[in-house]
């Protein structure tokens, strides 16, 4: 197993290009400027090559991996991936090595800064202000998102970086390490290049459109008017979602002069989307009732001119309990 001292000595040695390990070699290759063909001072590619296995010299196991880059002037190692050299983890930590993703994050932040500057321009604001998107479509998406969100648990956030597909290659990282000013060229390349989908739009066009759509959406959502039934749906599902292990809840239901106690399946409730509830006159389908017999009896009892399918009207739900706990109640 290699030590931090041995690896650092190898990186610092101007003459040494190979570091022998038990199952392969680490190679140090001078980075070359692709335009001039000259060496880039102080920057080296650090690679790993495994020994050939068996008699076949070009075994599939004998392949070269880019481990990272070394900037001798700053004594900084930037690593890419260490699939074949797990013992390097401690070495990397002691070296204070920096992952390539941190370099990528620098580029993404620079892209973000440039885009935000463009977003502040008058023409973008003018487009946002002149858009008259139908509120009803935004309202449906708004309600569905919140209804679904109540039941989502264990969501992990992996960071706030925007998903800009920069597609940097090893040479881009070399130039970035050698000259941080190169970041502006990478930003320009990203914004002027075509998006990942088959389209004539550049990444700049795509991001501006995305920003405008999001801002219009926020503009409409700020003024969305919820009906009494909308408020009931959100309150009902939110309160049920707070009982993490609930599979069935008990409901007191009233319609006209009839009243009945129901056992409702929580999955049956949470899988209903807003569009279906509204199209069914703000009602859950009767299959949310725990048993088929219960659903059949309910439909027969509550089918009417205003409720032809015998669905569970949201305004008919007066109380919801789970065990001894009251989850929802109409006062």
């Amino acid at each position: 197993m290699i030590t931090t001292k041995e690896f650092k000595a190898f990186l610092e040695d101007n003459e040494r290009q190979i570091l022998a390990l038990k199952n392969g070699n680490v190679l140090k290759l001078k980075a070359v400027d692709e335009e001039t063909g000259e060496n880039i001072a102080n920057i080296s590619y650090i690679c790993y090559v495994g020994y050939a296995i068996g008699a076949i010299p070009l075994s599939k196991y004998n392949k070269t991996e880019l481990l990272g880059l070394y900037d001798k002037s700053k004594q900084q190692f930037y690593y890419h991936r260490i699939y074949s050299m797990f013992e390097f983890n401690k070495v990397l930590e002691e070296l204070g090595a920096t992952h390539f993703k941190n370099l990528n994050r620098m580029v993404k932040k620079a892209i973000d800064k440039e885009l935000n500057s463009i977003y502040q321009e008058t023409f973008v604001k003018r487009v946002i202000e002149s858009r008259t998107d139908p509120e009803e479509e935004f309202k449906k998406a708004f309600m569905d998102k919140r209804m679904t969100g109540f039941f989502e648990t264990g969501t992990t956030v992996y960071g706030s970086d925007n998903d800009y597909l920069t597609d940097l290659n090893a040479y881009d990282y070399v130039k970035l390490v050698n000259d941080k000013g190169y970041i502006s060229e990478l930003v320009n390349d990203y914004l002027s290049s075509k998006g990942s989908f088959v389209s004539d739009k550049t990444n700049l066009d795509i991001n501006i459109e995305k920003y405008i759509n999001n801002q219009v959406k926020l503009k409409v959502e700020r003024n969305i008017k919820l009906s009494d039934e909308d408020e009931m749906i959100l309150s009902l599902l939110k309160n049920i979602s707070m009982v993490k292990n609930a599979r069935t809840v008990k409901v007191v239901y009233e319609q006209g002069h009839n009243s009945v106690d129901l056992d409702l399946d929580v999955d049956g409730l949470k899988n209903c989307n807003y569009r279906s509830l509204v199209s069914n006159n703000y009602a859950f389908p009767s299959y949310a009732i725990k048993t088929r017999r219960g659903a059949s009896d309910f439909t027969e009892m509550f089918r009417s001119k205003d409720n032809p399918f015998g669905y569970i009207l949201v305004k008919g739900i007066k109380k919801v309990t789970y065990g001894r706990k009251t989850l929802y109640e109409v006062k």
Side-chain angles (χ1 to χ4, degrees):
M1 180 170 176
I2 190 171
T3 66
T4 305
K5 185 177 180 180
E6 290 171 330
F7 186 59
K8 190 169 183 179
F10 166 69
L11 294 175
E12 289 293 317
D13 192 326
N14 290 330
E15 303 301 326
R16 195 174 178 190
Q17 291 181 287
I18 299 176
L19 175 63
L21 301 177
K22 183 178 180 181
N23 296 313
N25 288 326
V26 176
L27 308 180
K28 182 170 59 183
L29 309 173
K30 292 183 181 297
V32 176
D33 188 312
E34 293 181 357
E35 294 180 5
T36 65
E38 297 178 357
N39 291 340
I40 298 176
N42 299 310
I43 308 293
S44 299
Y45 292 109
I46 308 300
C47 306
Y48 174 81
V49 59
Y51 290 139
I53 295 183
I56 304 173
L58 295 178
S59 164
K60 66 179 180 180
Y61 299 102
N62 184 24
K63 59 184 181 180
T64 302
E65 294 181 47
L66 176 66
L67 300 182
L69 306 172
Y70 185 63
D71 181 353
K72 188 177 180 183
S73 64
K74 297 176 183 174
Q75 295 187 318
Q76 181 65 51
F77 185 64
Y78 301 87
Y79 66 100
H80 177 39
R81 57 187 177 197
I82 315 291
Y83 294 152
S84 306
M85 304 173 67
F86 298 110
E87 69 271 20
F88 257 49
N89 289 335
K90 184 179 179 182
V91 172
L92 292 173
E93 184 178 343
E94 292 177 349
L95 277 175
T98 299
H99 198 285
F100 271 27
K101 67 183 179 184
N102 292 326
L103 296 173
N104 211 344
R105 192 173 292 124
M106 284 173 47
V107 177
K108 289 182 177 181
K109 284 183 178 179
I111 292 171
D112 205 38
K113 183 177 180 181
E114 180 65 19
L115 282 171
N116 275 293
S117 175
I118 295 170
Y119 295 157
Q120 300 308 312
E121 293 182 8
T122 304
F123 85 91
V124 175
K125 293 182 179 179
R126 190 181 298 125
V127 172
I128 293 170
E129 291 168 359
S130 64
R131 281 269 293 267
T132 55
D133 297 67
E135 179 181 319
E136 197 57 36
E137 287 304 309
F138 280 101
K139 180 179 175 181
K140 290 173 183 175
F142 171 86
M143 291 290 286
D144 275 337
K145 183 177 179 181
R146 276 142 190 81
M147 288 164 55
T148 302
F150 293 147
F151 293 92
E152 289 181 350
T153 58
T155 303
T156 302
V157 178
Y158 292 100
S160 58
D161 278 348
N162 287 299
D163 192 22
Y164 304 134
L165 301 178
T166 50
D167 295 328
L168 305 186
N169 58 37
Y171 183 60
D172 287 327
Y173 287 115
V174 167
K175 296 190 73 173
L176 186 58
V177 168
N178 185 58
D179 178 12
K180 292 300 187 291
Y182 180 63
I183 199 168
S184 61
E185 190 170 330
L186 292 174
V187 170
N188 291 333
D189 286 346
Y190 169 80
L191 294 177
S192 61
S193 62
K194 298 292 178 65
S196 56
F197 300 102
V198 179
S199 170
D200 289 332
K201 297 176 182 176
T202 65
N203 282 316
L204 176 59
D205 298 327
I206 292 169
N207 279 285
I208 288 178
E209 285 184 10
K210 181 180 176 182
Y211 173 79
I212 289 173
N213 288 335
N214 286 340
Q215 292 303 306
V216 170
K217 179 180 175 183
L218 289 173
K219 174 185 167 186
V220 175
E221 285 184 353
R222 289 190 196 102
N223 300 304
I224 282 178
K225 297 177 180 62
L226 299 181
S227 67
D228 290 342
E229 287 91 345
D230 295 329
E231 298 284 5
M232 287 179 184
I233 291 169
L234 292 181
S235 177
L236 173 68
L237 295 182
K238 182 177 182 180
N239 290 352
I240 292 174
S241 73
M242 290 179 180
V243 185
K244 301 301 181 186
N245 298 319
R247 294 291 177 267
T248 305
V249 291
K250 291 190 176 296
V251 171
V252 176
Y253 182 84
E254 295 178 5
Q255 185 180 328
H257 299 294
N258 293 326
S259 177
V260 68
D261 292 341
L262 303 173
D263 288 331
L264 296 189
D265 181 71
V266 172
D267 284 339
L269 295 175
K270 75 180 185 181
N271 289 334
C272 291
N273 61 45
Y274 180 72
R275 294 169 191 268
S276 66
L277 292 178
V278 173
S279 64
N280 292 326
N281 195 24
Y282 283 95
F284 293 99
S286 56
Y287 63 67
I289 297 172
K290 194 66 178 175
T291 64
R292 287 187 179 181
R293 177 61 184 272
S296 178
D297 290 346
F298 179 88
T299 299
E300 189 63 31
M301 181 181 296
F302 292 104
R303 184 186 286 125
S304 65
K305 181 180 179 181
D306 295 329
N307 186 13
F309 299 105
Y311 284 165
I312 306 164
L313 300 176
V314 172
K315 62 186 178 183
I317 298 174
K318 302 303 179 182
K319 186 175 182 180
V320 180
T321 57
Y322 180 72
R324 296 182 179 180
K325 186 174 184 179
T326 298
L327 305 179
Y328 172 85
E329 187 171 12
V330 177
K331 300 295 185 182

